[in-house]
Amino acid sequence: MAHDAPVLVLDGPPGAGKTSLLARMVCALGDDTVWFSEPNARLAAGLSAPVHPSPAGHSLWFLRHELDKARAMRRLATDDDTRLIISDRNHLGALAYCYATRAEDSLPYPTARDSYARRIAPELPDTVLTAILLVSPDQSLTRRGNVAELPRWKQWFDEGLLERLHTFYTDIAPTLCPTPPSIINTDGATREAVLAHVAGVLADTGLDQTARQLTSAPAPAARPALDERFAAAYSQLGGLEAFGHPFTPAIAHRGGTVQLCQLGALHRDPAGHTRLWNPLAAPGRRAA
C-alpha cells in the first residue's frame, strides 16, 4: 500500500503562539517526523538568495522557496520513515505580508496570489492540513513585549499591519489552503488547549499514536539556551540578527542533533559537522 505522510502547516500572525506549539511538537514527536523551519531569506546564499533586497525581492524569494518546499514535501511524503511533515509557515505567510504591508516597493498582493495559484498549488502534496492560529492585535503586542527587540523587526509591531494581518488570516487565508483549515483563536486559550486542538486534527487523519505522543510529552523550557555545540555556527551565520532566539533545546534526530531558533535551525551530523538544517537539500532518513 502506498504511504503518504500528511503535511501539517502552522501559520498565523505574530504572537499567536505558533513558536510555542512548534517547540512542543518537535520535542515530542521524534524521528518519524520531519519539519521545515520558518523561511529566512537572510540565511539564503548564492543562487538561492533573493535577487533584489527590496520587499518585492524578498516576497519573490519566499514564493520560490515555497515552490521548492512543496516539491520536497511531495517526495518526503512517500518516505516510509516519515509519519508526519510539519511546516513552520508556507505560502500563507508570504501572501499575508503582501496583503498587509504598505511598503511602496512591495510585491502587489494579486501578483503574489496568482503566482501561488499558478505555480505552487499544483505541486503541493495530496494531504496538506493547515492550522491557522489567530490572535488579536492587542494580544499580539502584549505577548511580545510591545517593543521590537531589534530595529529590523519593528514593522511587526505596527498596529495597522497587525490589523490587516488579522483580516487576512480570518477572511482570506482559508480560501488559499488546499483543504479547509483548522482555525484556532488563541486569545484566552491555554497552550494545552491549543495543543489538544492540533492533536485532534492529527487524530482525525488516523495519526492517533502521534496525537497521543503530542499530548503526553512535557513542555520544553520557555527559552532554552543555545547549545554550545552550535555557538560557532550560530555566530558565523549572523547570530541573533539572522536566527532570533533558540526555542527548543538541542534534540537528537535521525542520528544527528538539531536545535531550532525563531528564524532557522542548525544541524550537527554524527561526524560533528554543523550546518544549517535544510530538508530541501538532503532530507535525512532515520539512523539505522
Side-chain angles (χ1 to χ4, degrees):
M1 181 179 294
H3 168 87
D4 287 299
V7 176
L8 175 66
V9 176
L10 306 177
D11 218 311
K18 185 170 58 67
T19 299
S20 299
L21 175 62
L22 183 62
R24 185 75 171 266
M25 297 187 75
V26 167
C27 291
L29 297 183
D31 284 357
D32 58 5
T33 301
V34 174
W35 62 90
F36 290 83
S37 57
E38 181 165 348
N40 185 350
R42 293 178 68 88
L43 293 173
L47 294 177
S48 64
V51 295
H52 194 275
S54 66
H58 278 75
S59 293
L60 288 169
W61 177 88
F62 275 99
L63 292 169
R64 187 179 69 204
H65 175 88
E66 290 307 321
L67 176 61
D68 292 341
K69 188 165 72 177
R71 291 169 174 166
M73 289 192 299
R74 183 176 284 277
R75 294 193 302 270
L76 269 174
T78 63
D79 179 1
D80 289 339
D81 287 337
T82 301
R83 182 186 301 176
L84 175 67
I85 302 166
I86 303 174
S87 178
D88 185 355
R89 295 199 182 280
N90 66 351
H91 59 274
L92 293 180
L95 297 178
Y97 176 78
C98 293
Y99 177 86
T101 185
R102 293 296 181 264
E104 292 183 359
D105 52 353
S106 63
L107 185 70
Y109 171 71
T111 302
R113 180 199 59 210
D114 292 348
S115 177
Y116 157 71
R118 184 175 65 255
R119 303 185 64 202
I120 299 170
E123 299 287 347
L124 290 170
D126 293 335
T127 306
V128 177
L129 314 169
T130 307
I132 297 176
L133 275 60
L134 288 177
V135 64
S136 65
D138 286 347
Q139 276 294 308
S140 172
L141 290 170
T142 299
R143 291 177 184 178
R144 295 179 296 133
N146 291 294
V147 178
E149 188 173 359
L150 294 177
R152 75 180 185 89
W153 299 344
K154 186 177 179 180
Q155 66 173 325
W156 302 109
F157 289 77
D158 177 82
E159 291 188 34
L161 181 116
L162 293 173
E163 291 281 0
R164 292 188 291 274
L165 287 175
H166 191 274
T167 297
F168 175 86
Y169 281 110
T170 302
D171 299 341
I172 300 172
T175 69
L176 299 169
C177 297
T179 57
S182 178
I183 300 176
I184 308 168
N185 189 338
T186 68
D187 280 12
T190 65
R191 291 180 180 179
E192 294 297 328
V194 174
L195 185 74
H197 192 133
V198 173
V201 172
L202 297 177
D204 287 344
T205 68
L207 295 179
D208 301 277
Q209 180 181 339
T210 302
R212 287 193 296 271
Q213 278 180 262
L214 188 57
T215 54
S216 62
R223 181 171 283 187
L226 180 71
D227 189 282
E228 62 181 14
R229 292 170 292 180
F230 293 117
Y234 178 87
S235 177
Q236 290 166 5
L237 291 168
L240 180 66
E241 183 80 16
F243 281 94
H245 293 284
F247 68 84
T248 71
I251 56 175
H253 188 265
R254 298 192 175 191
T257 306
V258 182
Q259 185 162 22
L260 274 68
C261 300
Q262 292 165 306
L263 301 170
L266 289 161
H267 177 264
R268 185 178 180 87
D269 67 23
H273 301 126
T274 302
R275 57 182 62 87
L276 283 172
W277 167 263
N278 185 14
L280 287 177
R285 282 181 170 270
R286 184 183 311 206

